Amino acid sequence: MHKSLVVLTLLVGCGDDGVHHLPDAPEGIDAATPDAPLSGAVTLTVTQDGTPRPDVAVYFLAADNSLVAKVPTNAQGVASAVMGLGGSVTAIDPFATKSSARDLRTFVGVKPGDDLKLHTGGPGPQVVDTNFTLNLPMDAFAGSYEVSTNCGHLSFAGGGGGSGSAVTAGGLSQLHGCGATIDILVETFDGGGIALGAIYKPGVVLTEGGTIDLTAEAYTTPVPTQAINWSNVPVGYAQMDARVALASPKGFLREQFANSGVVTTGAATTTFPRPAVTGGIAITQSRPSPTNFIGTHTVIDWAPQSTAPIAVDVGAALLGTYTTRPSASGATRSVTWAASAGATPDFAWASLRADRFVGKSSTTWFWDIVVPYATTTFTLPLLPTEIGELNFMATDSVDVNELVTAKVPGGYDAARAEILSTSPEQFIAGPSGRIAFETMDFAPQARVSPPIRSWTDRAMYAPRR
């Protein structure tokens, strides 16, 4: 469903130097560079479980909400139209079933040349299982063996007491969607979860029915440790929570550990074991707590792995804190919230639910929309008359199920194409960088679309099988 962290080596990256944000641009329009085309093709592709979705109605609107074109997706799930800067693209019921409520997905502030994507479900039939035997060297004191690869994670029980008679660990195994070679990280832990040793082996050949024999490898002991040092923690936060992960040159390897540090005079620290991975990328997620029960901050940093402490200036990284719960107005077709000062987001993404009551009957529909960030208010596009019943009205009950504001490498231009279908790991690219985002703490209504909910709920932002 999502791109893996293999983009770490495929995309040129970024950090905050690649981020641009233009708070003074007109709402709904991301300002163009001087040589940007004034008009051109904008394309939307809709797929489900890797299969194209034909006959999805797609409305291409100009920045003034005038209709540019209504185009159904073709057999390949593709709809396209020529349009100018700053308009919007809305798909109607892209993944609908007969029993589902109406469902709208809208990209605002599109640009000529945009190749937009909507996808949901799994990656499709191209993912295959590989069955093999994995032989690991015995660690007599291991309570467990944790094996991480770029295409999945395996666990094996250990004797844990040093008295077992076995000379190897491991056994029959299965991984999913792998290539011909994989990078492998093996970690051993005692019965209390304390790291004992580690083996890293890159470029291991994987074949169906084959054997991977690592018994000639030796565990590195003790496992190296690394520190996270948080500074400039704003007043009101008592603790910094962290999760750390590793990626190899082939992509994401493993979420490793969760830890916390108590804030004292604006600073906090924690340490954790981190095995050495050749050419590795260290990924660190920081969250200050407690929340204000409106929004939760998350900052994800990544950089080449080293033994030096990881330094995070929390105050400089955080976006403005939500100070009011987001609300929606049917009368003005707008979403509004309030936030304190902080780093300026690149975009806002809202998931809305509308209920319209007529006599004893009611109609419910959902609307997911992403907009370039300008202020803490944005207005939804006005849909054409033929689907005008899906525009919000003053008498409708409209709730904000979820709101995400985010700052990512490359800004909204980098995020726009897949933001309505993806999770934060989409933007972990290049050798180093930072993602900062804030999410609502809970949804007031049922049915928050899975991609947007993943920004709130997922513990570490990379695929896990």
Side-chain angles (χ1 to χ4, degrees):
M1 176 176 176
H2 306 303
K3 293 181 180 177
S4 76
L5 293 190
V6 71
V7 294
L8 286 165
T9 57
L10 297 181
L11 300 182
V12 177
C14 324
D16 288 340
D17 291 342
V19 177
H20 69 274
H21 39 91
L22 303 169
D24 296 327
E27 185 171 326
I29 301 177
D30 199 13
T33 54
D35 56 351
L38 296 180
S39 65
V42 173
T43 297
L44 174 65
T45 303
V46 185
T47 57
Q48 185 170 23
D49 296 324
T51 302
R53 292 278 296 179
D55 300 319
V56 175
V58 181
Y59 288 83
F60 297 84
L61 305 184
D64 64 359
N65 291 324
S66 60
L67 179 63
V68 174
K70 173 192 174 184
V71 182
T73 55
N74 61 18
Q76 289 72 47
V78 177
S80 183
V82 174
M83 57 189 302
L85 289 166
S88 65
V89 176
T90 298
I92 309 297
D93 300 327
F95 310 111
T97 63
K98 291 183 178 180
S99 61
S100 63
R102 303 301 301 273
D103 178 21
L104 286 67
R105 313 288 174 103
T106 296
F107 303 82
V108 174
V110 301
K111 290 184 177 180
D114 276 354
D115 185 11
L116 308 173
K117 309 289 185 183
L118 284 175
H119 50 87
T120 190
Q126 72 271 24
V127 172
V128 297
D129 296 338
T130 304
N131 300 279
F132 63 102
T133 299
L134 178 62
N135 294 330
L136 304 174
M138 187 70 177
D139 182 338
F141 295 95
S144 66
Y145 299 79
E146 302 297 328
V147 181
S148 303
T149 76
N150 311 115
C151 49
H153 184 81
L154 304 168
S155 294
F156 301 96
S163 59
S165 59
V167 294
T168 63
L172 294 175
S173 305
Q174 185 182 80
L175 291 171
H176 315 280
C178 303
T181 62
I182 58 175
D183 297 339
I184 298 180
L185 174 65
V186 182
E187 299 170 90
T188 62
F189 299 87
D190 68 13
I194 303 300
L196 299 177
I199 294 170
Y200 175 64
K201 189 73 173 176
V204 177
V205 175
L206 177 68
T207 58
E208 173 65 26
T211 297
I212 294 176
D213 190 343
L214 300 182
T215 54
E217 304 293 326
Y219 291 103
T220 298
T221 59
V223 177
T225 60
Q226 190 168 26
I228 303 175
N229 295 330
W230 293 284
S231 63
N232 191 26
V233 181
V235 174
Y237 294 119
Q239 179 175 291
M240 291 298 303
D241 299 326
R243 288 184 179 270
V244 295
L246 273 173
S248 76
K250 284 186 177 296
F252 178 78
L253 269 179
R254 165 156 160 75
E255 179 186 344
Q256 293 174 285
F257 295 95
N259 239 334
S260 299
V262 175
V263 176
T264 304
T265 60
T269 189
T270 191
T271 60
F272 53 92
R274 178 164 263 173
V277 169
T278 305
I281 297 292
I283 307 167
T284 306
Q285 172 193 284
S286 301
R287 280 183 176 173
S289 66
T291 71
N292 65 355
F293 302 106
I294 298 175
T296 297
H297 286 288
T298 301
V299 177
I300 303 174
D301 292 291
W302 64 97
Q305 185 182 10
S306 75
T307 58
I310 297 166
V312 181
D313 184 330
V314 179
L318 296 182
L319 307 180
T321 298
Y322 299 159
T323 56
T324 62
R325 185 162 292 281
S327 62
S329 168
T332 60
R333 308 188 331 279
S334 62
V335 176
T336 301
W337 68 101
S340 63
T344 303
D346 293 315
F347 62 87
W349 176 9
S351 184
L352 311 173
R353 169 179 171 145
D355 292 281
R356 179 171 297 161
F357 302 94
V358 180
K360 295 182 179 181
S361 64
S362 65
T363 301
T364 298
W365 70 104
F366 299 93
W367 198 334
D368 280 14
I369 181 169
V370 61
V371 303
Y373 183 88
T375 68
T376 55
T377 296
F378 66 84
T379 302
L380 280 74
L382 183 65
L383 300 173
T385 302
E386 65 181 89
I387 53 169
E389 74 277 4
L390 296 175
N391 288 312
F392 296 154
M393 299 171 53
T395 53
D396 294 336
S397 172
V398 184
D399 291 293
V400 182
N401 274 356
E402 184 66 285
L403 176 73
V404 173
T405 51
K407 185 180 182 70
V408 301
Y412 185 50
D413 281 350
R416 186 165 52 251
E418 294 201 48
I419 187 60
L420 289 182
S421 303
T422 195
S423 299
E425 82 271 11
Q426 171 70 28
F427 308 109
I428 299 179
S432 62
R434 167 176 287 168
I435 299 166
F437 60 93
E438 186 176 12
T439 58
M440 284 172 58
D441 264 1
F442 69 91
Q445 299 282 345
R447 192 278 186 190
V448 176
S449 56
I452 197 168
R453 173 52 69 190
S454 69
W455 285 75
T456 303
D457 287 348
R458 289 178 65 170
M460 178 53 72
Y461 301 97
R464 297 297 301 277
R465 294 185 172 92

